[in-house]
Amino acid sequence: MIEVFVKPGDTVKAEDSLVTLESDKATMDVPAPAAGTVKDLKVKVGDKVSEGSAILTLESADGGGAKPAPAATASRPTSAAAAPAAATETKPREPAAKPPTPSAAGGPAGIVPVKVPDIGDFKDVPVIEVFVKPGDAVKPEDPLVTLESDKATMDVPAPSAGTVKELKVKVGDKVSEGSVILTLETTAAPAAGGAAGAKTETPAAAPPAAPAPAAPAAAESAPPAKPAAAPVDDEAFRGAHASPSVRAFARMLGVDLSKIKGSGPKERILQEDVQNYVKQVISGASAALPAAAAGGSALGLLPWPQVDFSKFGPIESKPLSRIKKISGANLHRNWVMIPHVTNHEDADITDLEDFRVRLNKENEKSGIKVTMLAFLIRASVAALKKFPEFNASLDGENLIYKKYFHVGFAADTPNGLVVPVIKNADQKGVLAIAKEMGELSAKAREGKLGPADMQGGCFSISSLGGIGGTYFTPIINAPEVAILGVCRSSMRPVWDGKQFNPRLILPLSLSFDHRVVDGAAAARFNSYLVALLGDMRRVML
């Protein structure tokens, strides 16, 4: 029992939600069987119930007296529309078995058309896997097909044991709520609503039928610890990619799932991710996160302006890409939580650029194109070795110094910014780094980067060299403590003490975490990097 929406004395209408139950695979509401007044609550948040358990007594509006409202079973759907059969059972169940009855989907006894369950606002969701074929025997909860929206992967399970009679879909077909995916000849009569009771296995959002956790009636019935969840952004919580059991675990701890990056398939949030997040908060590494997570109001800021832009002229609304949604949340967190300071410096790369051009001519047949970024990665490794605090991460009150050197570089793709990582860059020469950069950049443009390609970075470089600009403030890629921004090089007159000479100058912008790095250390790091780019032979020292 995860939520109770009513209290004694409340007036309810037929189909009003009374309580919410949550199994390890589904969330479901128990609706009122009829209009009336709640006389007595039999349950509270945290209680465990089964089919037939009385949850409250209801004095019906027609004067029929107080009747017990039993709980729904865990196999019933999250939609209130499919659950009335359980809630309207107001007398003890007869022990004698009843003959099979027609399914809720309307088929003849024993033949169940299995439909797509309530999947929120998604329409035309593609079928990406079909696990059965006609003639296959299935058990209850066996996955039949897998659907994938832009936010979630979800299985449609068998409502009961039986034999697949006819498949109605194939891989690639698009379905919506209520679409029939197959017909099932059951070996036992399904419970009312069984056909419609398929549940999502790994939803990105909490099932739409579950009301917001902050309902006033639920707060009155909840134990004292419940108010701890008040700062959680309910809308963002519902949009997180996590299973019902993980959601219940997060609610119990008062953790906002929308602030956790999942490590499971398709970035699904696992219980271990929630546990690790709590450990970080307790250790102090994320002490500032609750205020940031609660939104601008927690920081004393005005609410975000709500504007009807169509009043001023034609508009077009397009959803953010998945990459931008993920990176945007991370960038916001990093900017709010990390005290950024940026040190700007100019590097004279006149001689290095001449060498780069000659190197590319000599290696023209190899197909490897060396960019200035490859030299920057190699020079950055040397600087990280000389200034180890830049190759560290905060862990509570401890500083973790890394003995490896993995350097990330920002790659612009049609869907947004990603940061592939060159692993063990200290063990690779400029040509090897350039080759690996080309391969990772190609994978990024094709959308084929895997999680392993973007993990483990120690230091990042964001280069706008091919686009333009002079200086900027790159946002640190937590848990790293520094990032180097690079803009387009340009020819400038440089005074050598006697005369002005044309020199190719590269602008560098080093953002650093002031909790870990002092301004003087950042200036030394940048100055050393400039010296290396002026004469790459220093890397050998």
Side-chain angles (χ1 to χ4, degrees):
M1 185 76 60
I2 63 171
E3 293 177 84
V4 179
F5 300 112
V6 294
K7 62 183 183 296
D10 281 357
T11 300
V12 297
K13 301 187 298 291
E15 306 303 327
D16 278 357
S17 295
L18 303 176
V19 299
T20 297
L21 315 178
E22 186 167 61
S23 71
D24 60 342
K25 292 184 178 180
T27 305
M28 61 212 77
D29 283 0
V30 177
T37 303
V38 177
K39 297 298 290 181
D40 183 28
L41 272 176
K42 304 291 188 183
V43 294
K44 63 182 182 300
V45 172
D47 286 355
K48 298 182 183 297
V49 296
S50 303
E51 181 178 356
S53 301
I55 58 174
L56 55 82
T57 53
L58 184 69
E59 184 175 17
S60 61
D62 59 8
K67 299 180 180 180
T73 65
S75 64
R76 286 192 167 88
T78 61
S79 170
T88 53
E89 185 184 353
T90 57
K91 58 184 179 180
R93 291 175 295 143
E94 298 178 9
K98 296 182 180 180
T101 57
S103 72
I111 301 295
V112 178
V114 180
K115 297 182 179 182
V116 175
D118 184 346
I119 54 176
D121 296 330
F122 299 113
K123 304 292 182 184
D124 298 326
V125 180
V127 177
I128 62 169
E129 287 184 88
V130 177
F131 300 108
V132 294
K133 61 183 184 296
D136 282 356
V138 296
K139 302 186 297 294
E141 307 303 326
D142 277 357
L144 304 175
V145 301
T146 297
L147 316 179
E148 184 173 61
S149 72
D150 60 342
K151 292 183 179 179
T153 302
M154 57 204 87
D155 286 354
V156 177
S160 59
T163 303
V164 176
K165 294 296 291 180
E166 183 182 5
L167 274 175
K168 302 290 188 179
V169 296
K170 62 183 183 301
V171 172
D173 285 356
K174 294 188 176 182
V175 296
S176 302
E177 179 183 350
S179 300
V180 177
I181 58 172
L182 56 80
T183 54
L184 184 70
E185 184 176 13
T186 58
T187 54
K199 303 176 292 299
T200 58
E201 181 75 17
T202 58
E220 294 194 24
S221 303
K226 189 68 176 178
V232 174
D233 183 336
D234 298 331
E235 200 65 35
F237 189 101
R238 287 196 292 271
H241 189 179
S243 69
S245 58
V246 172
R247 291 176 182 281
F249 183 62
R251 284 194 197 97
M252 180 180 67
L253 299 178
V255 173
D256 191 341
L257 289 177
S258 68
K259 306 306 174 187
I260 301 177
K261 186 172 183 179
S263 61
K266 299 186 182 295
E267 297 185 346
R268 187 195 316 164
I269 300 171
L270 308 178
Q271 182 166 322
E272 291 79 7
D273 299 325
V274 178
Q275 292 171 329
N276 291 335
Y277 173 87
V278 172
K279 288 178 183 176
Q280 290 174 356
V281 173
I282 292 174
S283 70
S286 300
L289 187 56
S297 59
L299 302 176
L301 302 178
L302 293 174
W304 193 261
Q306 299 297 316
V307 180
D308 180 6
F309 300 103
S310 62
K311 293 192 302 184
F312 309 109
I315 64 170
E316 181 182 5
S317 178
K318 291 184 178 180
L320 286 172
S321 68
R322 180 169 176 79
I323 289 178
K324 287 186 177 179
K325 287 179 182 177
I326 296 170
S327 62
N330 287 328
L331 290 170
H332 184 207
R333 176 201 61 198
N334 297 347
W335 182 253
V336 170
M337 291 186 61
I338 300 173
H340 283 66
V341 180
T342 306
N343 179 283
H344 303 288
E345 188 61 272
D346 291 333
D348 186 338
I349 59 167
T350 310
D351 297 335
L352 182 58
E353 175 63 12
D354 289 342
F355 175 65
R356 187 189 72 83
V357 172
R358 291 199 309 272
L359 190 63
N360 279 334
K361 287 183 179 179
E362 293 170 2
N363 291 275
E364 192 172 0
K365 294 182 180 179
S366 69
I368 301 174
K369 183 180 179 181
V370 179
T371 64
M372 188 57 63
L373 185 55
F375 286 105
L376 280 164
I377 290 176
R378 193 66 187 87
S380 295
V381 169
L384 292 172
K385 288 183 176 180
K386 186 173 179 66
F387 301 95
E389 65 265 41
F390 285 83
N391 196 38
S393 287
L394 267 176
D395 182 18
E397 296 182 355
N398 296 323
L399 196 58
I400 307 299
Y401 289 89
K402 301 159 191 172
K403 304 301 183 182
Y404 52 88
F405 299 88
H406 302 341
V407 179
F409 64 97
D412 192 20
T413 74
N415 293 320
L417 200 67
V418 293
V419 185
V421 176
I422 303 289
K423 305 291 176 60
N424 301 311
D426 59 317
Q427 302 172 20
K428 298 169 183 175
V430 172
L431 289 176
I433 291 173
K435 182 176 184 294
E436 189 171 344
M437 278 177 51
E439 294 169 349
L440 288 171
S441 296
K443 288 176 68 176
R445 288 190 297 271
E446 296 167 4
K448 295 181 179 179
L449 282 177
D453 296 323
M454 297 181 284
Q455 292 176 347
C458 305
F459 182 81
S460 296
I461 300 177
S462 179
S463 176
L464 302 177
I467 302 172
T470 306
Y471 303 99
F472 69 106
T473 299
I475 298 178
I476 296 166
N477 188 18
E480 300 166 17
V481 298
I483 182 172
L484 182 68
V486 185
C487 288
R488 183 169 57 192
S489 59
S490 61
M491 294 299 296
R492 302 184 199 171
V494 177
W495 182 254
D496 66 1
K498 296 181 180 180
Q499 60 183 356
F500 284 100
N501 295 308
R503 306 296 291 180
L504 186 62
I505 303 300
L506 182 68
L508 303 178
S509 300
L510 177 71
S511 286
F512 56 94
D513 186 338
H514 212 346
R515 297 173 300 177
V516 177
V517 178
D518 293 331
R524 293 188 186 100
F525 182 97
N526 235 358
S527 296
Y528 182 67
L529 191 59
V530 166
L532 293 178
L533 295 174
D535 187 353
M536 283 295 290
R537 291 175 297 182
R538 295 174 182 268
V539 174
M540 307 289 293
L541 301 178

